[in-house]
Amino acid sequence: MDKEQLLSGRDWIFESNEILVLTGAGLSTASGIPDFRGPQGVWTKDPDAEKLSDIRYYVSDARIRKKAWRSRRDSPVWEATPGIGHRAIAAFERTEKIHTLVTQNIDGLHQMAGSSPDRVIEIHGTIREVACLECTYRAPMKEALERLESGEEDPACPACNGILKSATVSFGQSLIPEDLARAERAACACDLLLAVGSTLSVYPVAGLVPMAKERGAKIIIVNAEPTAMDDLADAALFGDLNELLPALLNWNPEVSDTE
Ligand code: APR
């Protein structure tokens, strides 16, 4: 860990009041949910798995949909609990310095850790709900998983019989316009952007970093490996975020979250 960068990062955080926190899959690996591109990433180990997250394959191939439903049923999300990273950010929120928390994760662990839902933007959606691709039907994921348990392999929308999918944003789908607009407003308004556990390689979310930089925000990146935005970082901290984040945010995981 680069001590000097850590200390500078802590000073800038202490001096900031409107922080945009941007999180990625690295935050949830400690909760048992693999990331995508890290050394043990889902796509690092099985490039074909990416098809499950591409809307073209999903709508055209029932086999891909059935495989996607099985992977939702078997997802480690259902057993996962917030990790040190989620808890550090939730505790830090009590300083009132977080303007917005944009997460690329679909697991809902930030809210479970206590981050206020009105500050969290789940910019790539959520696995905890399902949505119809052809009408406005939306429901809790557990209802669709109950249909799977009773033998349906590819449950269709109960309202219009259209294709049903987790309420996540797949490749080929556009982000929810209001979510992206809100995230971009936060990037323009923040005085510091803290990116944690993300390769910062997927647009338009990765574009929040240069957007904040252009408006004079400090950029701090915390990740186990280099990211696509390291050249914009005022401080790039490489290592385990479960150690770096508590040090950066001056939070001790041993102390109970309620104190
Ligand atoms: N500490 C620090 N970094 C970690 C840790 C950890 N404990 N665990 C994993 N990482 C790092 C990995 O090394 C990797 O660089 O987190 C990063 C996760 O990057 P990705 O797997 O690319 O995940 P993310 O950036 O969130 O992906 C963005 O792409 O796959 C789509 O829609 C999906 O939201 C996702 C988006």
Side-chain angles (χ1 to χ4, degrees):
M1 172 187 347
D2 181 327
K3 199 91 176 118
E4 205 176 295
Q5 294 230 43
L6 176 70
L7 294 175
S8 307
R10 277 174 77 165
D11 289 347
W12 295 328
I13 286 173
F14 182 74
E15 289 152 12
S16 298
N17 293 302
E18 303 293 346
I19 298 174
L20 168 53
V21 180
L22 171 57
T23 64
L27 223 79
S28 299
T29 52
S31 303
I33 302 171
D35 61 25
F36 299 97
R37 302 174 186 84
Q40 299 306 316
V42 171
W43 296 342
T44 311
K45 294 200 299 195
D46 172 11
D48 258 359
E50 203 160 345
K51 286 186 181 162
L52 294 182
S53 292
D54 184 317
I55 197 69
R56 290 166 302 174
Y57 294 102
Y58 190 83
V59 295
S60 60
D61 186 341
R63 282 175 306 115
I64 291 281
R65 285 200 298 279
K66 290 175 186 171
K67 193 171 174 188
W69 281 112
R70 290 194 298 274
S71 79
R72 290 163 193 152
R73 178 196 60 201
D74 304 338
S75 171
V77 168
W78 312 124
E79 309 301 322
T81 53
I84 287 181
H86 302 101
R87 290 173 50 214
I89 292 168
F92 181 66
E93 191 175 330
R94 289 199 285 271
T95 64
E96 292 297 315
K97 285 174 175 282
I98 296 183
H99 177 285
T100 298
L101 167 52
V102 174
T103 185
Q104 300 172 90
N105 302 338
I106 59 172
D107 52 38
L109 291 179
H110 280 299
Q111 296 91 320
M112 207 185 281
S115 287
S116 33
D118 54 5
R119 263 205 191 96
V120 177
I121 302 177
E122 292 179 308
I123 195 98
H124 288 163
T126 174
I127 193 174
R128 294 179 186 274
E129 290 182 35
V130 290
C132 176
L133 296 182
E134 290 154 67
C135 76
T136 56
Y137 174 83
R138 231 179 133 96
M141 171 62 77
K142 72 178 181 0
E143 288 176 19
L145 294 183
E146 281 159 8
R147 291 172 63 185
L148 229 70
E149 283 309 302
S150 58
E152 292 185 68
E153 293 184 279
D154 181 13
C157 172
C160 76
N161 206 32
I163 292 178
L164 215 46
K165 181 180 161 300
S166 60
T168 55
V169 179
S170 295
F171 288 113
Q173 280 189 296
S174 47
L175 275 62
I176 295 173
E178 307 83 76
D179 287 348
L180 182 55
R182 204 174 132 214
E184 290 177 339
R185 282 199 299 276
C188 296
C190 73
D191 52 13
L192 186 145
L193 184 150
L194 171 60
V196 192
S198 175
T199 48
L200 298 172
S201 56
V202 174
Y203 286 80
V205 175
L208 297 175
V209 181
M211 200 176 278
K213 181 81 177 180
E214 276 152 33
R215 283 160 185 79
K218 287 285 187 200
I219 308 295
I220 300 176
I221 297 175
V222 177
N223 204 48
E225 55 186 351
T227 80
M229 296 289 167
D230 288 348
D231 57 327
L232 297 181
D234 295 288
L237 304 175
F238 295 110
D240 185 347
L241 64 90
N242 297 294
E243 288 164 21
L244 288 170
L245 213 43
L248 189 65
L249 300 179
N250 214 7
W251 176 73
N252 175 358
E254 307 306 317
V255 173
S256 106
D257 295 356
T258 49
E259 282 170 47

